[in-house]
Amino acid sequence: MSARLDEKLDLIYRDVLHRNPGEEEFHQAVQEVLETLGPVMSKYPEFVDRKVIQRICEPERQIIFRVPWQDDNGEFHINRAFRVEFNSALGPYKGGMRFHPSVYLGIIKFLGFEQIFKNALSNMPIGGGKGGSDFDPKGKSDDEVMRFCQSLMTELYRHLGENTDVPAGDIGVGKREIGYLFGQYKRITNRYESGVLTGKGLDWGGILARNEATGYGLVYFVDEMLKAKKDSLDGKTVVVSGSGNVAIYAIEKATQLGAKVIACSDSSGVIVDEEGIDLDLLKQLKEVERRRLSAYTDTRTHAKYSENGDIWSVACDVALPCATQNELNGKDAKKLVENGVVVVAEGANMPTTPEAARIFAEAGIAFGPGKAANAGGVATSALEMQQNASRDCWTFEHTESRLHQIMVDIHKSAFETADEFGSPGNYVVGANIAGFLKVARAMDAMGLV
Ligand code: NDP
Ligand code: 2IT
């Protein structure tokens, strides 16, 4: 039995292990949530009797399919794709698609499970889902990516719909891929159904500020965490891992709020630029040219690039893991604590290992879990669905101010719920319980479904 799970929750967890063999990331995500639900079980025994937790842990539907495609030389390739429609108690399944060679069912299920609670916390009418493929977009031509996306959508379209399931981007899926996916959906269904995908281009139904939303939202959340400590981002030194969509716009907003971001990374190495990361250069390399981060020092010659470098050994006040799951382990956490970190917040989904999260908690470091801190992306996707449904076109300022308020509200909800359930300052407890209660109440109201 896990030391941190009470007896009833431990039985549920064992059942999850038994029913989902080998899906380590999914086990980890479930365990992290169950560890915090003890006080909820005592307060709401009806959720135990009606097996609400067991139902939440079992996806409503899981789709696994073959994606055949041809490369530019005419060679055939076969990938595997997934869409896990996890929970629709609060609205249509909503969550991104990830294209990365590491993708398998366990990763998509952990992401879909997290998404349920994240979407609930966002207070938008969206359920939880996630999808993806083991396709690796790195080194592929635009045409190859297009053929892959078209082939994938040729199967996936039948499971989607603006009131059914609404995918978006995640690792390896951005505006380019969403464009190809939307084009194929429109062609097969003969419907211009804008709300079926989010993260669309601005000329064809996308919303201003979605591209920035996850990174900006993360930094708004961090700002609230610092305010709760009577502190601010002004003058803080920040380290951000990754250099993709979330990382770039976290760097942008942190810089706007007066912080200095001195390091970022990709899967090959780490850049440290003590003068502050040059954002225009980073965007040019990553968003336009799709190059490796090592090229940064060709222009910024004073910056240091280290291949396979250790980003968490760079001393900082605020650490923002924005790359991938389990990228910050116990050793990294110890280093960050030794170096005086005050806030850690997850831009990525589950980037912090359980051991690292424990080290932060024991050291009294404010720790913002992804399902709260990175919810700005999906919340803005829900705003994009609203914009599409009203056939309107909103300004950047309108959407950004809604995003800001949503992040303030998520922070308040996680902070106050942690207090209410006896763990003041513990955002993991607060976010899990606040998200869970919303979904559980809705499921309970709808009967045994
Ligand atoms: P991108 O594909 O834009 O960027 C991913 C970044 O992380 C790249 O710098 C990439 O480096 C690095 N990375 C990815 N996988 C690995 C790995 N296995 N090891 C080391 N580095 C890796 O993705 P996003 O920025 O969209 O996503 C980043 C994280 O944020 C993910 O966890 C995602 O689930 C989460 N997220 C994204 C949201 C969004 O709106 N996009 C919303 C909420 C959360 P390289 O290019 O070398 O692979
Ligand atoms: O993890 C996430 O929240 C996302 N990748 C964004 C999902 C979305 O539907 O915008």
Side-chain angles (χ1 to χ4, degrees):
M1 177 168 153
S2 159
R4 289 170 301 278
L5 282 176
D6 75 21
E7 209 176 322
K8 278 193 186 111
L9 290 164
D10 191 60
L11 283 175
I12 297 174
Y13 181 58
R14 279 162 185 270
D15 194 42
V16 168
L17 293 181
H18 176 70
R19 293 162 72 91
N20 304 278
E23 297 174 4
E24 280 171 30
E25 295 82 0
F26 179 49
H27 303 162
Q28 184 183 333
V30 170
Q31 182 166 20
E32 190 248 20
V33 169
L34 296 191
E35 276 176 8
T36 59
L37 293 185
V40 181
M41 295 305 96
S42 342
K43 195 165 171 186
Y44 300 95
E46 65 273 25
F47 292 153
V48 179
D49 297 342
R50 295 179 201 151
K51 295 204 162 60
V52 172
I53 300 179
Q54 289 93 324
R55 280 191 272 153
I56 290 184
C57 291
E58 183 68 22
E60 289 177 19
R61 191 175 298 110
Q62 306 181 56
I63 301 144
I64 305 179
F65 55 101
R66 178 173 69 196
V67 185
W69 59 281
Q70 254 180 312
D71 68 21
D72 291 342
N73 299 320
E75 197 179 320
F76 291 5
H77 297 269
I78 309 298
N79 283 96
R80 183 176 292 174
F82 306 85
R83 187 74 188 165
V84 175
E85 299 182 333
F86 227 117
N87 193 295
S88 61
L90 299 177
Y93 310 107
K94 182 83 196 86
M97 294 289 290
R98 175 178 291 191
F99 293 171
H100 193 273
S102 63
V103 164
Y104 78 107
L105 188 58
I107 287 198
I108 300 303
K109 272 162 77 175
F110 114 67
L111 290 163
F113 184 75
E114 290 282 291
Q115 201 81 46
I116 304 170
F117 305 101
K118 183 196 303 195
N119 295 4
L121 276 171
S122 78
N123 220 12
M124 296 304 224
I126 43 180
K130 200 85 189 190
S133 172
D134 56 6
F135 174 74
D136 186 358
K138 274 200 200 92
K140 304 290 188 300
S141 69
D142 286 353
D143 283 350
E144 288 171 332
V145 171
M146 180 183 75
R147 286 196 290 274
F148 175 78
C149 288
Q150 289 178 338
S151 180
L152 182 144
M153 188 52 95
T154 302
E155 170 61 32
L156 188 63
Y157 85 94
R158 71 192 79 240
H159 305 288
L160 306 183
E162 62 187 1
N163 296 312
T164 308
D165 185 354
V166 181
D170 193 82
I171 290 177
V173 177
K175 223 177 306 169
R176 174 182 63 172
E177 291 73 19
I178 296 294
Y180 298 144
L181 292 167
F182 186 74
Q184 186 73 350
Y185 182 87
K186 180 170 75 61
R187 186 176 175 208
I188 296 175
T189 60
N190 193 30
R191 282 167 64 86
Y192 204 109
E193 194 182 331
S194 299
V196 74
L197 287 166
T198 61
K200 298 181 291 295
L202 297 175
D203 295 323
W204 42 280
I207 194 170
L208 283 160
R210 173 62 187 91
N211 197 34
E212 292 81 356
T214 312
Y216 278 24
L218 170 67
V219 175
Y220 286 139
F221 193 87
V222 167
D223 198 35
E224 292 303 304
M225 291 171 82
L226 284 163
K227 277 187 196 152
K229 294 162 78 76
K230 311 247 173 305
D231 201 347
S232 84
L233 264 169
D234 196 31
K236 293 278 184 296
T237 299
V238 179
V239 165
V240 176
S241 66
S243 50
N245 175 263
V246 179
I248 287 175
Y249 293 96
I251 296 173
E252 183 162 286
K253 184 52 74 180
T255 309
Q256 282 173 14
L257 296 187
K260 184 153 102 171
V261 184
I262 57 163
C264 64
S265 61
D266 64 11
S267 58
S268 311
V270 175
I271 282 287
V272 179
D273 185 342
E274 296 289 350
E275 290 176 15
I277 295 290
D278 181 335
L279 202 58
D280 290 338
L281 175 60
L282 189 66
K283 285 183 183 175
Q284 178 65 28
L285 292 175
K286 286 295 178 182
E287 295 187 326
V288 182
E289 298 172 16
R290 296 179 187 273
R291 289 176 67 191
R292 307 309 298 156
L293 194 55
S294 51
Y296 185 93
T297 52
D298 296 348
T299 310
R300 298 273 281 184
T301 49
H302 63 270
K304 296 226 159 15
Y305 175 74
S306 40
E307 205 163 302
N308 303 319
D310 179 6
I311 190 158
W312 306 122
S313 66
V314 181
C316 61
D317 304 309
V318 175
L320 304 177
C322 295
T324 194
Q325 62 278 351
N326 293 325
E327 56 162 312
L328 195 168
N329 62 25
K331 183 174 78 46
D332 300 324
K334 278 194 195 123
K335 193 84 199 158
L336 283 164
V337 172
E338 272 164 33
N339 284 338
V341 75
V342 284
V343 168
V344 179
E346 297 183 325
N349 287 306
M350 208 171 74
T352 312
T353 64
E355 189 196 356
R358 251 185 323 274
I359 289 168
F360 293 137
E362 281 161 18
I365 308 296
F367 175 70
K371 58 174 84 65
N374 72 36
V378 75
T380 307
S381 279
L383 295 176
E384 184 173 331
M385 292 163 75
Q386 269 183 40
Q387 179 194 263
N388 293 149
S390 62
R391 299 188 187 280
D392 203 348
C393 187
W394 299 352
T395 62
F396 191 97
E397 291 69 27
H398 173 77
T399 306
E400 197 192 358
S401 79
R402 296 265 329 247
L403 166 65
H404 188 185
Q405 189 58 49
I406 289 166
M407 297 315 296
V408 169
D409 292 345
I410 294 174
H411 177 273
K412 186 165 185 278
S413 162
F415 192 82
E416 292 180 355
T417 307
D419 240 4
E420 186 190 334
F421 283 84
S423 299
N426 188 328
Y427 291 98
V428 176
V429 170
N432 287 348
I433 295 182
F436 171 80
L437 283 177
K438 190 160 181 193
V439 180
R441 285 194 191 106
M443 287 176 71
D444 206 31
M446 292 176 198
L448 181 56
V449 287

